[in-house]
Amino acid sequence: MPRLAVYALAVCLLAVAAAVVSFVEGSVLIGVVWILLAGLSSNMTWYYFRRSRTSRPDSPATN
């Protein structure tokens, strides 16, 4: 997994945790902002992961 995808995944997980804490403490508006950031970083994770898989050259067939 590429490094940028791992970083984006870490940001996504931290944003989800921050959203849960915000909702538990009663701050709905900030919780929604954290959810939006989690969605953005989740999309970035998929983008970097898929980009790395498509940019790899196919390995030659071994016979």
PDB file of all heavy atoms in Angstrom, residues 3 6-7 9 15 18 20 27 31-32 37 44-45 56 60 63:
ATOM      1  N   ARG A   3       2.459   4.961   0.543  1.00  0.00           N
ATOM      2  CA  ARG A   3       2.579   5.739   1.763  1.00  0.00           C
ATOM      3  C   ARG A   3       1.472   6.785   1.909  1.00  0.00           C
ATOM      4  O   ARG A   3       0.923   6.965   2.998  1.00  0.00           O
ATOM      5  CB  ARG A   3       3.947   6.418   1.791  1.00  0.00           C
ATOM      6  CG  ARG A   3       4.213   7.164   3.080  1.00  0.00           C
ATOM      7  CD  ARG A   3       5.585   7.749   3.112  1.00  0.00           C
ATOM      8  NE  ARG A   3       6.564   6.678   3.040  1.00  0.00           N
ATOM      9  CZ  ARG A   3       7.819   6.850   2.682  1.00  0.00           C
ATOM     10  NH1 ARG A   3       8.233   8.037   2.329  1.00  0.00           N
ATOM     11  NH2 ARG A   3       8.649   5.844   2.647  1.00  0.00           N
ATOM     12  N   VAL A   6      -1.702   5.233   3.132  1.00  0.00           N
ATOM     13  CA  VAL A   6      -1.646   4.910   4.565  1.00  0.00           C
ATOM     14  C   VAL A   6      -1.872   6.164   5.397  1.00  0.00           C
ATOM     15  O   VAL A   6      -2.611   6.141   6.394  1.00  0.00           O
ATOM     16  CB  VAL A   6      -0.296   4.250   4.922  1.00  0.00           C
ATOM     17  CG1 VAL A   6      -0.150   4.074   6.418  1.00  0.00           C
ATOM     18  CG2 VAL A   6      -0.164   2.923   4.211  1.00  0.00           C
ATOM     19  N   TYR A   7      -1.262   7.278   5.000  1.00  0.00           N
ATOM     20  CA  TYR A   7      -1.461   8.526   5.723  1.00  0.00           C
ATOM     21  C   TYR A   7      -2.919   8.981   5.658  1.00  0.00           C
ATOM     22  O   TYR A   7      -3.487   9.428   6.655  1.00  0.00           O
ATOM     23  CB  TYR A   7      -0.566   9.625   5.167  1.00  0.00           C
ATOM     24  CG  TYR A   7       0.910   9.441   5.449  1.00  0.00           C
ATOM     25  CD1 TYR A   7       1.858  10.058   4.657  1.00  0.00           C
ATOM     26  CD2 TYR A   7       1.358   8.650   6.493  1.00  0.00           C
ATOM     27  CE1 TYR A   7       3.207   9.900   4.895  1.00  0.00           C
ATOM     28  CE2 TYR A   7       2.703   8.475   6.736  1.00  0.00           C
ATOM     29  CZ  TYR A   7       3.621   9.108   5.944  1.00  0.00           C
ATOM     30  OH  TYR A   7       4.957   8.947   6.191  1.00  0.00           O
ATOM     31  N   LEU A   9      -5.506   7.078   5.244  1.00  0.00           N
ATOM     32  CA  LEU A   9      -6.288   6.161   6.068  1.00  0.00           C
ATOM     33  C   LEU A   9      -6.168   6.512   7.547  1.00  0.00           C
ATOM     34  O   LEU A   9      -7.152   6.473   8.289  1.00  0.00           O
ATOM     35  CB  LEU A   9      -5.844   4.724   5.822  1.00  0.00           C
ATOM     36  CG  LEU A   9      -6.585   3.639   6.593  1.00  0.00           C
ATOM     37  CD1 LEU A   9      -8.060   3.634   6.216  1.00  0.00           C
ATOM     38  CD2 LEU A   9      -5.949   2.287   6.343  1.00  0.00           C
ATOM     39  N   ALA A  15     -10.198  11.133  12.185  1.00  0.00           N
ATOM     40  CA  ALA A  15     -11.345  12.016  12.013  1.00  0.00           C
ATOM     41  C   ALA A  15     -12.629  11.348  12.500  1.00  0.00           C
ATOM     42  O   ALA A  15     -13.488  12.007  13.094  1.00  0.00           O
ATOM     43  CB  ALA A  15     -11.482  12.429  10.553  1.00  0.00           C
ATOM     44  N   ALA A  18     -12.533  11.548  16.242  1.00  0.00           N
ATOM     45  CA  ALA A  18     -12.831  12.915  16.679  1.00  0.00           C
ATOM     46  C   ALA A  18     -14.313  13.232  16.519  1.00  0.00           C
ATOM     47  O   ALA A  18     -14.897  13.940  17.350  1.00  0.00           O
ATOM     48  CB  ALA A  18     -11.993  13.911  15.891  1.00  0.00           C
ATOM     49  N   VAL A  20     -16.784  11.054  16.752  1.00  0.00           N
ATOM     50  CA  VAL A  20     -17.486  10.358  17.837  1.00  0.00           C
ATOM     51  C   VAL A  20     -17.369  11.144  19.132  1.00  0.00           C
ATOM     52  O   VAL A  20     -18.359  11.345  19.852  1.00  0.00           O
ATOM     53  CB  VAL A  20     -16.936   8.925  18.005  1.00  0.00           C
ATOM     54  CG1 VAL A  20     -17.439   8.279  19.284  1.00  0.00           C
ATOM     55  CG2 VAL A  20     -17.296   8.082  16.794  1.00  0.00           C
ATOM     56  N   SER A  27     -21.418  18.490  20.625  1.00  0.00           N
ATOM     57  CA  SER A  27     -21.087  19.486  19.617  1.00  0.00           C
ATOM     58  C   SER A  27     -21.376  18.913  18.233  1.00  0.00           C
ATOM     59  O   SER A  27     -20.506  18.323  17.590  1.00  0.00           O
ATOM     60  CB  SER A  27     -19.620  19.892  19.738  1.00  0.00           C
ATOM     61  OG  SER A  27     -19.303  20.863  18.792  1.00  0.00           O
ATOM     62  N   GLY A  31     -18.910  17.914  14.954  1.00  0.00           N
ATOM     63  CA  GLY A  31     -18.971  16.499  14.587  1.00  0.00           C
ATOM     64  C   GLY A  31     -19.238  16.309  13.106  1.00  0.00           C
ATOM     65  O   GLY A  31     -18.656  15.438  12.473  1.00  0.00           O
ATOM     66  N   VAL A  32     -20.121  17.135  12.544  1.00  0.00           N
ATOM     67  CA  VAL A  32     -20.412  17.054  11.112  1.00  0.00           C
ATOM     68  C   VAL A  32     -19.180  17.425  10.296  1.00  0.00           C
ATOM     69  O   VAL A  32     -18.887  16.793   9.272  1.00  0.00           O
ATOM     70  CB  VAL A  32     -21.614  17.950  10.758  1.00  0.00           C
ATOM     71  CG1 VAL A  32     -21.775  18.105   9.262  1.00  0.00           C
ATOM     72  CG2 VAL A  32     -22.882  17.399  11.382  1.00  0.00           C
ATOM     73  N   LEU A  37     -14.610  15.564   6.875  1.00  0.00           N
ATOM     74  CA  LEU A  37     -13.174  15.338   6.710  1.00  0.00           C
ATOM     75  C   LEU A  37     -12.862  13.853   6.594  1.00  0.00           C
ATOM     76  O   LEU A  37     -11.995  13.454   5.804  1.00  0.00           O
ATOM     77  CB  LEU A  37     -12.405  15.954   7.883  1.00  0.00           C
ATOM     78  CG  LEU A  37     -10.890  15.834   7.820  1.00  0.00           C
ATOM     79  CD1 LEU A  37     -10.363  16.624   6.632  1.00  0.00           C
ATOM     80  CD2 LEU A  37     -10.273  16.326   9.098  1.00  0.00           C
ATOM     81  N   MET A  44      -9.599   9.970  -0.596  1.00  0.00           N
ATOM     82  CA  MET A  44      -8.182  10.103  -0.927  1.00  0.00           C
ATOM     83  C   MET A  44      -7.459   8.765  -0.780  1.00  0.00           C
ATOM     84  O   MET A  44      -6.583   8.433  -1.584  1.00  0.00           O
ATOM     85  CB  MET A  44      -7.529  11.158  -0.044  1.00  0.00           C
ATOM     86  CG  MET A  44      -7.945  12.566  -0.367  1.00  0.00           C
ATOM     87  SD  MET A  44      -7.307  13.775   0.816  1.00  0.00           S
ATOM     88  CE  MET A  44      -5.562  13.550   0.637  1.00  0.00           C
ATOM     89  N   THR A  45      -7.838   8.001   0.252  1.00  0.00           N
ATOM     90  CA  THR A  45      -7.231   6.688   0.445  1.00  0.00           C
ATOM     91  C   THR A  45      -7.500   5.793  -0.746  1.00  0.00           C
ATOM     92  O   THR A  45      -6.585   5.167  -1.286  1.00  0.00           O
ATOM     93  CB  THR A  45      -7.786   6.022   1.717  1.00  0.00           C
ATOM     94  OG1 THR A  45      -7.498   6.848   2.842  1.00  0.00           O
ATOM     95  CG2 THR A  45      -7.184   4.658   1.927  1.00  0.00           C
ATOM     96  N   ARG A  56       1.253   0.406 -11.757  1.00  0.00           N
ATOM     97  CA  ARG A  56       2.270  -0.645 -11.734  1.00  0.00           C
ATOM     98  C   ARG A  56       2.324  -1.347 -13.087  1.00  0.00           C
ATOM     99  O   ARG A  56       1.299  -1.696 -13.644  1.00  0.00           O
ATOM    100  CB  ARG A  56       1.923  -1.713 -10.682  1.00  0.00           C
ATOM    101  CG  ARG A  56       2.427  -1.391  -9.315  1.00  0.00           C
ATOM    102  CD  ARG A  56       2.274  -2.573  -8.444  1.00  0.00           C
ATOM    103  NE  ARG A  56       0.857  -2.974  -8.393  1.00  0.00           N
ATOM    104  CZ  ARG A  56       0.362  -3.845  -7.518  1.00  0.00           C
ATOM    105  NH1 ARG A  56       1.139  -4.415  -6.656  1.00  0.00           N
ATOM    106  NH2 ARG A  56      -0.924  -4.142  -7.536  1.00  0.00           N
ATOM    107  N   PRO A  60       6.036  -9.711 -16.222  1.00  0.00           N
ATOM    108  CA  PRO A  60       6.046 -10.634 -17.366  1.00  0.00           C
ATOM    109  C   PRO A  60       5.602 -12.030 -16.939  1.00  0.00           C
ATOM    110  O   PRO A  60       5.798 -12.443 -15.794  1.00  0.00           O
ATOM    111  CB  PRO A  60       7.513 -10.621 -17.817  1.00  0.00           C
ATOM    112  CG  PRO A  60       8.270 -10.129 -16.644  1.00  0.00           C
ATOM    113  CD  PRO A  60       7.336  -9.248 -15.860  1.00  0.00           C
ATOM    114  N   ASN A  63       7.126 -18.753 -17.431  1.00  0.00           N
ATOM    115  CA  ASN A  63       6.811 -20.087 -17.962  1.00  0.00           C
ATOM    116  C   ASN A  63       7.893 -21.058 -17.562  1.00  0.00           C
ATOM    117  O   ASN A  63       9.009 -20.834 -17.514  1.00  0.00           O
ATOM    118  CB  ASN A  63       6.656 -20.081 -19.481  1.00  0.00           C
ATOM    119  CG  ASN A  63       5.393 -19.319 -19.872  1.00  0.00           C
ATOM    120  OD1 ASN A  63       4.487 -19.210 -19.082  1.00  0.00           O
ATOM    121  ND2 ASN A  63       5.398 -18.824 -21.091  1.00  0.00           N
TER     122      ASN A  63
END
